[in-house]
Amino acid sequence: MTTFDSLLADITPSGEGREITNPATGDVVGRAPIHTVDDLDAAVTAAHAAQPSWAALGHEKRNELLLAAADAIDASAEALAQLLTREQGKPLNGPNARFEVGGASGWLRAAASTPLDPETVIDDGDSHAVLHYRPIGVVGAIGPWNWPMMISVWQFGPALRMGNTVVVKPSEFTPLSVLALVSVINTVLPEGVLQVVTGDREVGARLSSHPDIDKVMFTGSTATGKAIIRSSADTVKRLTLELGGNDAGIVLPDVDPAAIAQDLFWGAFINTGQTCAAMKRLYVHDSIYDAVVDELAAVAASMPMGVGTDENNVLGPLQNKPQFDIVSRLVEEARASGARVVMGGNPDADQPGYFYPTTLVADIDNDNPLVQEEQFGPALPIIRYSDVDEALAMANGLDVGLGASVWSGDRDAAREVAAQVEAGTVWINSHGGVHPMIPFGGVKQSGYGLEFGVEGLKALGVPQVING
């Protein structure tokens, strides 16, 4: 049985590397290797060499190995969750560390089990054409710090399934979680097929411009996504980019505020608000505005926040100091503008860790920075509106469009509103839920390309038509 200590020992050089600290306590979790551009080049060379034999195994054998890798994750699940809690900060329970590790194995199984058969596009007696998807080659996967294990699997799972090899670069804030996940998976996979290189922005820049990387998958900020687009241009790499969100929720006047309050809460505050597709601005009709604020505040007050290894907590700290500072700044700017801080907004300076209390901000203008900028933390602005057209104009007024939601007692009415929202996914009476078979991706400056399901597999292949 894998233990936390044995897992950590497998991935951390003794007495060497960069210290990684627990964002809840400041304690040292472990040390991450400091890789260089030369290390990245060596990993790409190994992946390039391993790719033909991996592709030659065929879908059936690759899928068998990926399912075995998912079993290996499950066998080490508690140790992985303990490491994730300490490094990322998210609690063990609730939709957090144990949930994420389970999602990692579940999504890997989905990637392995989703069929993608050749498609006969025409067969009329005169013409016969079949569409196939061949491996791309070597995929570079650049992951974030908010869901480091699960999002890494979203990237490398379908890539491996389609016959590619993968070089992963995790966030500098959460390298240990990804190193451990890949270490567990590599007890099953052939050598060179899946590798991790930790490092700074120089390493990431080299990955996105490397001539032997054939596709880059990136989840993170819009600014970094634009830099990847520029650096990948000379080699015309394929890209899948899942970028910033600032998702809007629209509450129509016919709902029962008490009935939706808990789902509203988790739509906004899952992973303590540190989720690309979390609800980050909430538009509520004036007729039920005060009731929604009150019900949401009651739910928020019942959710314990604290150190992730405490089994009672469901909310944790912000993962890093820069993110803590962003949330603090935006809330203080909102307070100074005259917005009403319903709860929260008062972090304890004497408490260790980057804890920012669950914060609701009401009676705030739509042009306030807390609304216009993606706060990526536990602070939700709640904006009044008088008619649906006004709400739609505000919701669609930003240059991002990852997800959104519409809340109503009438699903048909909600779908009519949803069809007018500019976002890659619009949920009805929920927010942020993803499924391994439902395509997911953004519009506008929230990126391009689809992940999950058959469309996600196609995005990790090169289409080839055999005509004749």
Side-chain angles (χ1 to χ4, degrees), residues 139-153:
V139 173
I142 305 174
W145 48 257
N146 57 336
W147 295 90
M149 291 187 183
M150 189 157 68
I151 290 179
S152 291
V153 169

Side-chain angles (χ1 to χ4, degrees), residues 51-343:
Q51 194 274 324
S53 59
W54 175 247
L57 289 177
H59 286 299
E60 185 175 348
K61 182 59 178 178
R62 289 197 303 271
N63 294 350
E64 178 185 320
L65 289 169
L66 292 176
L67 291 172
D71 290 340
I73 294 173
D74 288 342
S76 300
E78 184 59 22
L80 288 167
Q82 291 285 341
L83 175 57
L84 180 60
T85 288
R86 288 165 171 81
E87 181 180 50
Q88 202 283 334
K90 63 182 65 184
L92 290 167
N93 291 323
N96 291 299
R98 290 178 177 131
F99 169 85
E100 179 171 349
V101 174
S105 64
W107 246 269
L108 194 55
R109 285 194 176 88
S113 302
T114 300
L116 177 58
D117 298 320
E119 177 186 351
T120 300
V121 292
I122 189 169
D123 186 10
D124 61 4
D126 294 323
S127 300
H128 182 269
V130 179
L131 175 62
H132 301 261
Y133 286 87
R134 309 301 189 193
I136 300 172
V138 180
V139 173
I142 305 174
W145 48 257
N146 57 336
W147 295 90
M149 291 187 183
M150 189 157 68
I151 290 179
S152 291
V153 169
W154 291 356
Q155 296 173 333
F156 67 66
L160 294 172
R161 154 77 163 83
M162 293 300 292
N164 308 291
T165 52
V166 184
V167 178
V168 179
K169 186 206 171 291
S171 166
E172 294 174 66
F173 290 112
T174 52
L176 300 180
S177 296
V178 179
L179 284 164
L181 179 69
V182 171
S183 176
V184 168
I185 291 173
N186 277 342
T187 62
V188 174
L189 297 184
E191 185 175 354
V193 167
L194 177 62
Q195 299 174 78
V196 181
V197 178
T198 65
D200 57 16
R201 291 183 180 181
E202 185 180 7
V203 174
R206 173 61 175 166
L207 186 150
S208 62
S209 63
H210 199 292
D212 288 331
I213 293 282
D214 302 290
K215 171 157 185 164
V216 173
M217 300 188 75
F218 171 71
T219 296
S221 72
T222 298
T224 302
K226 290 178 180 178
I228 289 171
I229 293 169
R230 288 189 290 268
S231 64
S232 68
D234 286 343
T235 50
V236 196
K237 298 188 191 308
R238 290 161 174 79
L239 300 174
T240 295
L241 304 174
E242 195 260 85
L243 308 178
N246 206 357
D247 287 14
I250 299 175
V251 180
L252 301 184
D254 63 351
V255 299
D256 175 358
I260 66 170
Q262 182 141 326
D263 289 334
L264 282 176
F265 175 84
W266 284 117
F269 292 99
I270 186 171
N271 198 27
T272 316
Q274 300 166 109
T275 297
C276 295
M279 184 167 57
K280 300 185 179 75
R281 46 197 176 111
L282 180 61
Y283 298 96
V284 180
H285 191 271
D286 189 68
S287 64
I288 56 169
Y289 183 89
D290 292 330
V292 169
V293 170
D294 290 346
E295 294 291 347
L296 189 52
V299 171
S302 71
M303 299 293 179
M305 175 183 286
V307 176
T309 50
D310 183 331
E311 299 276 355
N312 296 311
N313 292 325
V314 294
L315 299 172
L318 288 158
Q319 202 286 320
N320 54 76
K321 181 62 160 57
Q323 197 58 45
F324 179 92
D325 290 343
I326 289 171
V327 176
S328 297
R329 171 181 62 82
L330 290 172
V331 173
E332 287 311 305
E333 288 179 0
R335 193 198 310 271
S337 74
R340 175 166 58 97
V341 178
V342 177
M343 62 182 297

